[in-house]
Each structure stands twice: as structure tokens, then as C-alpha cells.
Amino acid sequence: MRSGVCKSSSSSSISRRQICACGDEVTLLKSTTTKNPGRMFLRCPNWGKQMTCNYFRWIDDEIMDNKGRIDELQCYVQESEDLKKKLAKLKRKLSGERLKFKATVCLMTISMVITIIVCMWAVMNSEGVRKRTVVQN
């Protein structure tokens, strides 16, 4: 899963305190009618009284909106898990590359030491040949 795959959405008004036009806080209720059993709605406490406030709203859409948010959060959790796995894999690969680098440096150092020893031996050997040549003459 790639970054940015999960969609973003706006915040829910169900979780926020809401005030209707008359200034009172709306109430979250559950329908007990046979036509809408168990259906949730918001209503002004003054609704149906002699006051003029008639704030009423079904919240099914907002509940579905919240389900979408849960799905979105699950998507982000999955994306996070995928990124953690990818990071762990990259760390293992980096560790392997470090080992290869250390081995290469070690081999190059050994090679240089051997080269220096061979060169020194060659120089010392050639000086010995010259001394023997001078002594024989």
C-alpha cells in the first residue's frame, strides 16, 4: 500500500456539541416508531412545544460517514504496518551492504600489505644481487 492511498474526510458533527438556532443544545435520540425503529436523530429540546424551533435531523448519513472514517483509519494502520515491514527490510539490506563494504576494505588492506611486502622483498633482493656482483668483480 502506498502513501496517500487512504482518503481524507471531514470531522463528524455527531461528536461535537451542537446548538440549534434557539440557543439550546440539540439532543441525540433514538426513534421508537414502527416506521423508523432504532433510527438515530438530533432534535432541539424545544421541538414540538409551543416555541417556534423545529430543528430535527436524521443522522444515518453521519453514522455512515463515521464508518468511512473507521475504514480510513484502518487503511492508515495497514499502510503504517506495510511501511514498518519495508523499513525493516531496508535495514536488513543496509546491514548486509555494510558487511560487504567491511569485507572489501579488509581485502584491499591485506592486498596492499602483501604488495608492500613483495616490493620490499624485491628491492632488498635486487640490492643483494648488486652487492654480490660488486664483490665478485
Side-chain angles (χ1 to χ4, degrees):
M1 195 170 292
R2 280 186 241 149
S3 182
V5 171
C6 303
K7 66 176 180 155
S8 64
S9 58
S10 60
S11 63
S12 171
S13 60
I14 295 173
S15 59
R16 296 191 312 262
R17 193 181 120 161
Q18 293 185 28
I19 307 296
C20 72
C22 71
D24 287 338
E25 187 175 347
V26 296
T27 309
L28 176 63
L29 299 167
K30 187 181 212 179
S31 172
T32 57
T33 65
T34 54
K35 186 175 179 183
N36 296 298
R39 196 170 173 195
M40 303 296 286
F41 62 95
L42 293 171
R43 183 183 83 183
C44 175
N46 299 316
W47 186 86
K49 296 182 180 172
Q50 291 181 352
M51 295 183 76
T52 58
C53 187
N54 60 358
Y55 182 84
F56 176 93
R57 184 166 54 109
W58 295 110
I59 60 166
D60 303 279
D61 293 337
E62 291 189 42
I63 289 172
M64 292 310 292
D65 229 17
N66 285 339
K67 183 184 178 328
R69 284 185 190 84
I70 291 169
D71 291 345
E72 180 182 350
L73 288 174
Q74 288 172 337
C75 180
Y76 284 122
V77 167
Q78 182 61 48
E79 185 175 353
S80 173
E81 292 300 318
D82 291 346
L83 289 172
K84 284 178 186 177
K85 288 176 185 174
K86 187 174 182 178
L87 179 62
K89 183 178 178 182
L90 288 172
K91 282 182 178 180
R92 284 191 303 275
K93 185 175 180 181
L94 179 61
S95 180
E97 292 298 320
R98 281 183 179 154
L99 251 127
K100 287 179 189 176
F101 178 75
K102 286 179 182 178
T104 302
V105 168
C106 188
L107 287 173
M108 288 177 65
T109 303
I110 291 170
S111 174
M112 286 174 44
V113 168
I114 291 172
T115 302
I116 291 171
I117 291 172
V118 168
C119 288
M120 288 176 68
W121 179 79
V123 167
M124 289 171 58
N125 200 20
S126 70
E127 285 178 7
V129 169
R130 270 191 248 152
K131 283 182 185 177
R132 275 186 267 147
T133 307
V134 171
V135 171
Q136 287 175 359
N137 288 335

